[in-house]
Amino acid sequence: MSLPYFSVVDHMPMLDFMNKILSCFESCFSRKAAFRWFVIITVGLMLRSDKLGVTSVIRDLALKPDCYLSMLHFFRASSWSLEGIRQCWFQTVFRFLPLCQEDGFHILVGDGVKQSKEGRRIPGVKKLCQESENSAKPQFIHGHMFGGLGILAGSIHSLTCIPLSIRLHDGLQELRNWDSPCISNASHVIQMIEDAYEAAKVFGDSLLLLDRYFLSVPALTRLRELTKEGSVHMEIVTKAKRNCIAYEKPSARKPGRGRPAKKGNAVHLKEVFHSHKEKFLQTELELYGKKEKIRYYSIDLLWGQKLYQELRFVLVEYNGVQSILAGTSLSIEPLSMIRLYSYRFRIECTFRELKQQLGGFCYHFWSKHMPKIDYYRKKTEPTPLEQVTDNYSRKKIMEAIRAIEMHMALSCIAMGTIQALAIQAEGKLRSEQIRYQRTPSKGKISEGAMMCYLRKYIFHFMGQSPELRITQLIQEMQEMSVIDKDLLAS
């Protein structure tokens, strides 16, 4: 069988590239067995053909059946640190991937994602409202609320959002009295700012693209505190609501007694589209892969009750749609803000691939020590986590929470590695060489096509590179009655 040719920048074969990425995490594990299961599960997530838990990893890697319990135990083991694995992943992305920059700033993207869960003994599950225009989504669900963070990589015409971290941001407030340092008491918005700043410490000065939900006084206050304390500079580009009200700068102080004014006249930004219509500039800009004729106007105003921070607002009008963008940087060009915010949807594509292709959200970690969730519980009644008073039960519930976040961390690493391979294969491998597609993707290979490629040829690559650590770790756990060593070497 002739294989499509694949090479990366320095002509490394695909498996060698995967080996280099996963080998960076060996120092994160205090036991060799834990690192072995880390490699096996991550590679299994990259090529599994179904989303039926860790059993899919056993099937697609042809592992021994008795690996099942060991793999489940790995997620609750004490031989790894979740924060250490996240930091290592940040450094690995910074080292191996061609990251996109704008005026020396790396571009981070953040957003929230909700996943429905029907398990009644899964910790962190709560009633959530889905504010979506998609009629296929129910308005209310019971599930987990995650905060997702990614970074843009690849060429400017074929950008990819590499997932950096996906953490539980809600449903765990009752754990604040459990003396657990890994649980934050902050809101979802503030946790997103903190997660992004932790990543910026590794990548350097960064621009953070956020949805309009995150434009709030607590978010800007926390950003100001972090920037003041640390040595890394981070700015935010987001979207303002249509009813946003900003303020002009206060005029010169009048003589006499009294404190100086902190703000000037109020400006209703939606009215600026009509009141300053003649000041709008018209140009062409590439948005979402198409050349669009736009009209825009930029103005610097104060925003936020009792904060009054100066922000740059860019009012945009195209295809009959009016939008108001806001940025904390007063030096960024208005057209750059418009173009940058158009990249924000890339994280939505990453969430979709994580759900549909990788099955990153298909987990079911629960604990019998967790009281059953009552879907009809009144607000005055205690929550399930508040009913837990035994220290042993609390420990077991915390293990289930760590298992959920570890599964999401492994999913980020697996998806990021697939995307890195797709970026390296751009121009050297085409989607139609891998599998039939009615409309093949232009430019880079899709994540689904790359997973299909791995699924077809992973054992061939392992047979050609028996000296690699990743090959040895997987072959130690394989069922040789299914896959013979001689067949792998042929």
Side-chain angles (χ1 to χ4, degrees), residues 312-421:
R312 170 154 293 180
F313 292 94
V314 180
L315 287 75
V316 191
E317 201 171 40
Y318 75 99
N319 288 341
V321 178
Q322 295 178 344
S323 299
I324 304 171
L325 305 182
T328 55
S329 174
L330 303 181
S331 60
I332 188 170
E333 295 294 328
L335 289 178
S336 296
M337 278 184 62
I338 300 170
R339 180 170 45 81
L340 283 170
Y341 191 78
S342 70
Y343 300 151
R344 194 203 67 82
F345 85 101
R346 297 286 179 180
I347 196 170
E348 305 287 357
C349 299
T350 299
F351 289 155
R352 181 194 63 195
E353 298 303 312
L354 274 168
K355 289 181 179 180
Q356 298 180 1
Q357 301 295 340
L358 197 75
F361 295 92
C362 296
Y363 57 84
H364 190 76
F365 296 102
W366 61 283
S367 175
K368 66 180 181 181
H369 299 276
M370 174 78 185
K372 276 190 176 182
I373 298 172
D374 182 7
Y375 291 157
Y376 305 100
R377 180 184 63 86
K378 297 180 181 179
K379 291 185 178 180
T380 56
E381 296 176 354
T383 63
L385 289 176
E386 288 176 336
Q387 300 173 26
V388 181
T389 57
D390 180 61
N391 289 334
Y392 182 76
S393 299
R394 289 181 174 183
K395 177 184 175 182
K396 290 300 179 182
I397 293 173
M398 285 301 304
E399 287 180 0
I401 294 172
R402 286 181 74 243
I404 293 170
E405 297 214 328
M406 183 58 166
H407 187 275
M408 298 312 304
L410 295 184
S411 300
C412 289
I413 295 169
M415 178 56 70
T417 305
I418 291 170
Q419 292 171 329
L421 292 172

Side-chain angles (χ1 to χ4, degrees), residues 196-238:
Y197 196 80
E198 284 298 316
K201 289 180 181 178
V202 176
F203 296 105
D205 294 346
S206 303
L207 282 169
L208 176 61
L209 310 180
L210 294 172
D211 200 2
R212 62 183 180 183
Y213 171 79
F214 294 92
L215 182 59
S216 63
V217 172
L220 296 182
T221 303
R222 185 58 180 150
L223 176 63
R224 182 185 293 180
E225 293 171 354
L226 291 171
T227 306
K228 186 177 180 180
E229 296 171 359
S231 58
V232 179
H233 191 62
M234 189 173 79
E235 301 285 357
I236 291 178
V237 175
T238 183

Side-chain angles (χ1 to χ4, degrees), residues 113-170:
V113 56
K114 298 170 183 177
Q115 178 62 35
S116 62
K117 287 294 168 185
E118 296 182 356
R120 301 182 69 178
R121 292 188 184 272
I122 300 178
V125 171
K126 63 174 295 186
K127 190 174 183 179
L128 301 170
C129 176
Q130 294 192 121
E131 297 177 355
S132 176
E133 297 177 358
N134 189 345
S135 59
K137 292 183 177 180
Q139 184 178 4
F140 293 98
I141 62 171
H142 280 85
H144 281 146
M145 174 66 182
F146 290 98
L149 181 70
I151 188 168
L152 296 185
S155 61
I156 197 67
H157 299 291
S158 183
L159 287 174
T160 301
C161 182
I162 308 296
L164 295 177
S165 71
I166 298 179
R167 298 178 55 240
L168 280 171
H169 277 183
D170 201 359

Side-chain angles (χ1 to χ4, degrees), residues 217 221 224 247 259 262-263 303-309:
V217 172
T221 303
R224 182 185 293 180
Y247 303 92
R259 66 176 186 176
K262 293 184 178 181
K263 61 178 180 177
W303 182 87
Q305 287 291 334
K306 300 182 180 180
L307 178 68
Y308 306 119
Q309 179 174 342

